[in-house]
Amino acid sequence: MLRHTARALVSRYGRTSASTFTPATATGRCTTSRFFSNSIKAASASVKINPWESFPMAPPDPIIGLTEAYNKDDFPFKVNVGVGAYRCDEGMPFVLPCIRKAEAILNDDDKLDHEYSGIAGDPEFVNLALNFVYGSDCKALQEGRIAGVQTLSGTGGLRVFGEVLKEHGHTEIYVPNPTWGNHIPIFTNSGLDVKKYSYYDAENSDLDFDNMIKDIKQM
């Protein structure tokens, strides 16, 4: 087996060190062992191993695909309108001044620490977010018919929400058509039957309001 391995390495890296493959003496054995060790390291370094090679590729996301096409395009006046993120005139990420100001306020607040939040997140943050989104005069919010929790991210929140729905007896969920490409597999992997409702009128580039209301009434 040693000689077969030696032949393979000689074939791969040439015959200049072939004399070291004959383990006639103790010195020869050490030299051979050292050669094998160095050759294996060289072979490993020369081969780029993709750890995800055996995993099937997920369906392409149209939004991410648009960003990839944008990055490959050499047109000097290109504009990426796919991802909802602010950009400067040079196409680089732009952080709003109000965000920088808010970050500075948080960094200067000695009362803030890195203590773990509760399982539902920071309740003060959640309540402020609900009031900001729905308005403090929202009747449903005042009546306690809207609940919120803090999650890791939008995608992470959807996965947790899908599993909560499934755990409490729900079997299906409706998403707008179109929706983000990863939303459907997220809810499918949560055990839910994903259905769609009308949302966007591609022909007129507008909200498909009438069909959306029709679909919602049939849920």
Side-chain angles (χ1 to χ4, degrees):
M1 181 177 180
L2 181 62
R3 292 185 181 277
H4 287 299
T5 306
R7 292 192 190 100
L9 290 172
V10 170
S11 176
R12 174 66 176 83
Y13 294 102
R15 295 182 177 278
T16 56
S17 301
S19 60
T20 61
F21 287 112
T22 305
T25 64
T27 303
R29 291 190 183 93
C30 292
T31 305
T32 303
S33 177
R34 190 178 300 112
F35 177 86
F36 281 138
S37 177
N38 293 336
S39 299
I40 291 172
K41 289 180 181 178
S44 299
S46 64
V47 178
K48 294 182 178 180
I49 300 176
N50 183 0
W52 307 109
E53 187 175 13
S54 61
F55 288 79
M57 179 65 70
D61 186 291
I63 301 298
I64 302 301
L66 183 61
T67 300
E68 293 175 350
Y70 170 85
N71 293 332
K72 294 178 181 178
D73 193 343
D74 58 0
F75 182 65
F77 304 109
K78 62 183 179 180
V79 177
N80 185 0
V81 295
V83 178
Y86 290 100
R87 301 283 177 175
C88 65
D89 292 338
E90 290 73 31
M92 301 302 292
F94 177 73
V95 181
L96 295 175
C98 61
I99 299 299
R100 294 294 191 195
K101 185 176 181 180
E103 290 175 339
I105 294 174
L106 292 175
N107 289 332
D108 293 337
D109 190 347
D110 295 333
K111 296 180 181 179
L112 295 178
D113 51 37
H114 293 275
E115 188 65 60
Y116 282 106
S117 298
I119 192 170
D122 184 346
E124 183 180 7
F125 171 80
V126 172
N127 289 333
L128 289 173
L130 290 176
N131 279 276
F132 176 78
V133 172
Y134 294 99
S136 57
D137 58 345
C138 174
K139 185 176 181 181
L141 190 61
Q142 294 174 348
E143 295 176 350
R145 293 188 283 115
I146 299 177
V149 296
Q150 185 178 1
T151 63
L152 178 64
S153 63
T155 302
L158 291 178
R159 179 57 190 261
V160 174
F161 180 60
E163 293 188 7
V164 169
L165 291 178
K166 179 65 175 179
E167 182 70 20
H168 290 271
H170 294 272
T171 59
E172 58 187 33
I173 189 170
Y174 285 82
V175 299
N177 184 27
T179 186
W180 283 87
N182 61 339
H183 287 181
I184 295 176
I186 285 174
F187 289 126
T188 300
N189 292 333
S190 298
L192 298 173
D193 180 19
V194 180
K195 298 184 178 181
K196 299 180 180 180
Y197 63 88
S198 301
Y199 176 75
Y200 182 65
D201 182 356
E203 183 177 350
N204 298 307
S205 298
D206 200 359
L207 175 66
D208 191 0
F209 182 79
D210 292 337
N211 285 323
M212 181 181 69
I213 297 300
K214 178 182 176 181
D215 290 347
I216 291 177
K217 288 181 177 180
Q218 293 177 351
M219 291 181 183

